[in-house]
Amino acid sequence: MGAVAGALPQALVPAPVRWVIFGVAALIVLAREVGVLRFRIPQNARLVPERVQHLGEWGALQFGFEMGTGMRTYSPSALPHLALLAVVLVVPFPTAFALAAGFAVGRFMMPLLSNAWSDDGGWSDLWARAEPVVRPALALTCVAALTVATLHA
């Protein structure tokens, strides 16, 4: 869906303008992720509503879709927003599918990793210790990957 939506701005706005917008956004996101800037990011921070539980498998499917796409989630990072902006502004149509697959793998890794730890807070403690190094590394990796993949597409 994002790839299709990205086709319109990419067709109407000149490439240098789109790259400047993306570059500025990437710098702002990097500054936020390393703690230089602090600002709230748009998110739809809602928990599982009662009605989802009463819809059986369909409710679970709906909620899983909303969580997987980021439409219903708490978001501690602005990196998914940057990925969406990249799809809209600079990522060529075929590459958008690879970006979507990478996003899906990233969304899958969090519950997978947290389930690998005990229920006694082991994952939260590990993340609290690792976050000062991991968050900037992920931000730099994300921005570099988006830039390199888009320039070579």
Side-chain angles (χ1 to χ4, degrees):
M1 175 98 163
V4 174
L8 189 58
Q10 289 186 26
L12 298 176
V13 180
V17 173
R18 290 185 284 114
W19 272 102
V20 166
I21 294 169
F22 176 72
V24 169
L27 290 174
I28 291 169
V29 168
L30 280 173
R32 183 192 185 280
E33 296 300 308
V34 299
V36 173
L37 293 177
R38 298 202 185 279
F39 57 88
R40 292 175 49 99
I41 54 176
Q43 61 181 327
N44 191 3
R46 298 181 294 157
L47 298 176
V48 181
E50 286 284 324
R51 67 178 172 76
V52 167
Q53 297 171 6
H54 298 296
L55 294 174
E57 287 120 17
W58 289 109
L61 180 65
Q62 173 193 342
F63 188 75
F65 176 80
E66 291 176 357
M67 286 293 290
T69 59
M71 292 171 26
R72 180 192 302 252
T73 186
Y74 290 93
S75 183
S77 173
L79 294 176
H81 297 80
L82 185 63
L84 176 62
L85 188 63
V87 168
V88 170
L89 293 177
V90 295
V91 172
F93 186 78
T95 309
F97 295 101
L99 192 147
F103 180 79
V105 168
R107 292 290 294 177
F108 176 72
M109 291 306 294
M110 182 61 186
L112 184 68
L113 291 171
S114 67
N115 284 336
W117 291 85
S118 64
D119 292 334
D120 65 358
W123 172 254
S124 297
D125 294 341
L126 176 67
W127 176 249
R129 288 191 307 273
E131 184 179 14
V133 173
V134 173
R135 181 180 290 271
L138 286 173
L140 288 169
T141 302
C142 178
V143 170
L146 286 171
T147 303
V148 169
T150 304
L151 290 174
H152 289 89

